Amino acid sequence: MAVESIAKTLGGGSGIDTTALVQSLVDAQFETRNATLTQREETLTAQISAASTHKSNITGFAGALTTLSKSGTLSTQPTSSNPGIVAVSRIAGADLTALNAKIEVRQLASTQTTASTPRPSATTAVGRGTLTLTFGTATVANGAMTGFTPGSGTPVNVTIDASNSSLDGIASAINAAKAGVTASVMTDSAGSRLVLKGASGETRAFTLTATETPGHTGLAALNVGIGASGTTIGSAAADAIVAVDGVALKRDSNTISDLVPGVKLDLVSAQAGTIVNLGKNSPSTSLVQAAQDFVDTYNEVFAALNTDLDPITGALRQDLAAKTLKRQLQQLTLTPIASGSDNVPTTLAQIGIQTNRDGTLSLNTTALTTALVNYPEQVEKMFAAANGTATTANGLAAALGSISAAAASTTRGLGASVLNYTRAKTDISEDRADALEKAEALRTRMTRQFASMDAKVAAYKSTMTFLEGQIDAWNKAD
């Protein structure tokens, strides 16, 4: 008989609700174990949540600080007295302590640009053959090239055949050659023109010479060079001429990074005789704000961590990785984060970021302001990134990043704690399934035992009823 059928008939002989009795007996036997598993599962859930939260807190804190340190707002920035002539920006990692220069832009760098005579269509064949680009130095007057000296580079040949003999095809073929000349087709009411543009700098002038295929002539109309009549030179290739503190120098670009140490110059316009003064702007206000923001965020992260490390109620009170994170945070203000000679501040504590008795931080703005006055470059090194990345040379972001990396580690950090707690929770699920299986087995066994007992009781009752009937019959016969 199936267990379900047995359960339905249990108690029929004895009159006892044996189904409820079996359920009570099974529940009593497994109640303690189930309660233990439930409590352990709740504890692990809290530990997973806490460890994940603090790992996220510290990595978010470190990431935000690194982003701020790279933003440039915490670094000394160069200034220009006339951005309409020279715009300036700081080169990553630059030391602008001694920045002070006078700039005169006498000439801007320019590119050679040419345009062919208009043609009725950009898709009609021009001719076939080979176009040769040669680079060098040119003399240009009134839109025509009057002199050209080839450079040392190898000329570039561009093949023009039936597949690309239109202006559109020729422009695509020149661009595909990647020779340093950009080709395009410009169209207006007069027709379509082949427009060529080289790179800036006087040595990047170019000629374009056609070698035509017999029977398919026409490419020569696109020639660029001395005596070419089919094209016009709109602008000539030229170097920028910049005087730095009175010394005139040439560069082939209007973006220059090697004239003033630590500063990128963007030449906007040429105004010979006008002097532009370069100076610097200290980020003192931004550094004070950054220090205060750091302290506030640190205290939030530390307070949350401290709560979960409470020796009585803390979810992570026995977690070694969480304790290590707290210890590392507490050591942060005393850890040297910038190199320096004697009496030069190298720690946060030395510039006014102090540790309180309860482990939180506070900012002594007077001490920080004094440090900014006496050691501005050193304080900047502590907060602002050098060379675009946080390094030990300006190591607050690096120091916090190191702590974050250790906390995120899946070997010894909170990352490992999350994995361990998760595995333990999976094991509980398996233990719970095992307990359920054993409970069902016990319920089945006890159900069968009580069914057997109940059947015997029913048989005894039947026999008793028979005997009572016989005795009653005998008594009546007498």
Side-chain angles (χ1 to χ4, degrees):
M1 179 181 294
V3 174
E4 292 81 359
S5 300
I6 294 173
K8 290 179 181 178
T9 58
L10 276 174
S14 63
I16 300 173
D17 188 355
T18 51
T19 299
L21 179 60
V22 168
Q23 183 66 43
S24 298
L25 292 173
V26 172
D27 289 346
Q29 181 162 339
F30 287 91
E31 181 178 6
T32 300
R33 184 177 183 185
N34 286 331
T36 300
L37 290 175
T38 298
Q39 182 178 7
R40 177 61 177 153
E41 186 173 39
E42 292 174 351
T43 298
L44 287 169
T45 299
Q47 289 172 323
I48 292 170
S49 176
S52 298
T53 296
H54 297 305
K55 180 169 72 75
S56 177
N57 285 349
I58 191 63
T59 54
F61 187 15
L65 184 60
T66 297
T67 299
L68 177 62
S69 72
K70 292 180 179 181
S71 68
T73 59
L74 305 182
S75 302
T76 296
Q77 298 295 329
T79 61
S80 167
S81 64
N82 194 332
I85 297 177
V86 181
V88 294
S89 57
R90 178 179 180 269
I91 297 174
D95 182 357
L96 302 182
T97 305
L99 176 60
N100 183 17
K102 297 181 182 300
I103 304 295
E104 178 189 0
V105 181
R106 298 177 180 175
Q107 177 177 290
L108 293 180
S110 60
T111 64
Q112 177 180 314
T113 59
T114 69
S116 67
T117 300
R119 301 180 68 84
S121 171
T123 57
T124 302
V126 175
R128 302 180 194 176
T130 301
L131 294 174
T132 301
L133 282 166
T134 305
F135 296 89
T137 304
T139 303
V140 176
N142 299 319
M145 187 176 294
T146 58
F148 182 78
T149 302
S152 59
T154 303
V156 177
N157 293 322
V158 179
T159 300
I160 306 300
D161 55 27
S163 67
N164 59 3
S165 62
S166 65
L167 288 184
D168 285 341
I170 292 169
S172 297
I174 292 174
N175 290 332
K178 299 184 184 301
V181 171
T182 301
S184 62
V185 177
M186 301 182 69
T187 302
D188 63 9
S189 59
S192 299
R193 302 165 179 82
L194 178 68
V195 178
L196 303 179
K197 183 177 181 178
S200 64
E202 67 177 20
T203 62
R204 291 168 180 167
F206 60 88
T207 61
L208 183 69
T209 305
T211 302
E212 299 181 316
T213 300
H216 297 282
T217 58
L219 286 181
L222 304 179
N223 280 356
V224 176
I226 299 172
S229 59
T231 56
T232 301
I233 298 178
S235 66
D239 282 342
I241 302 177
V242 183
V244 180
D245 294 328
V247 179
L249 301 164
K250 287 186 175 184
R251 291 294 185 270
D252 60 13
S253 172
N254 291 318
T255 298
I256 305 171
S257 300
D258 61 350
L259 286 183
V260 179
V263 180
K264 183 180 76 171
L265 306 177
D266 286 303
L267 309 184
V268 180
S269 65
Q271 296 190 27
T274 300
I275 303 301
V276 178
N277 296 307
L278 302 190
K280 59 183 181 292
N281 184 29
S282 173
S284 297
T285 301
S286 296
L287 286 170
V288 172
Q289 185 61 55
Q292 186 62 62
D293 291 344
F294 168 78
V295 167
D296 293 342
T297 306
Y298 176 99
N299 288 341
E300 292 178 7
V301 171
F302 186 82
L305 179 62
N306 222 24
T307 298
D308 281 325
L309 282 173
D310 184 280
I312 298 175
T313 61
L316 301 178
R317 58 185 178 273
Q318 296 179 333
D319 191 288
L320 180 60
K323 293 179 180 178
T324 299
L325 173 58
K326 179 180 178 180
R327 183 175 65 255
Q328 290 176 330
L329 287 174
Q330 289 175 313
Q331 295 171 345
L332 189 55
T333 59
L334 301 177
T335 301
I337 58 174
S339 59
S341 57
D342 293 341
N343 300 322
V344 174
T346 60
T347 68
L348 295 178
Q350 292 173 322
I351 62 171
I353 298 179
Q354 305 166 338
T355 301
N356 304 317
R357 289 182 178 273
D358 62 358
T360 60
L361 302 183
S362 59
L363 177 63
N364 184 331
T365 54
T366 300
L368 179 56
T369 301
T370 300
L372 283 167
V373 171
N374 297 328
Y375 309 101
E377 293 82 15
Q378 186 71 359
V379 176
E380 185 177 319
K381 285 181 180 179
M382 291 183 178
F383 284 90
N387 301 320
T389 57
T391 69
T392 53
N394 60 315
L396 179 54
L400 192 61
S402 178
I403 293 173
S404 171
S409 169
T410 55
T411 303
R412 295 186 178 181
L414 288 172
S417 297
V418 172
L419 292 177
N420 291 335
Y421 295 145
T422 301
R423 279 194 292 266
K425 189 174 179 179
T426 300
D427 291 342
I428 286 180
S429 296
E430 295 175 355
D431 290 342
R432 192 182 297 280
D434 180 63
L436 179 61
E437 183 179 347
K438 290 181 178 179
E440 289 301 321
L442 177 60
R443 181 179 289 104
T444 299
R445 185 170 67 254
M446 293 183 69
T447 297
R448 292 185 184 279
Q449 290 173 343
F450 276 100
S452 175
M453 176 202 71
D454 200 61
K456 291 179 180 179
V457 170
Y460 293 150
K461 288 176 68 176
S462 177
T463 300
M464 183 180 296
T465 299
F466 173 75
L467 292 174
E468 287 176 348
Q470 287 295 107
I471 292 172
D472 288 342
W474 291 336
N475 289 333
K476 289 179 179 181
D478 292 339

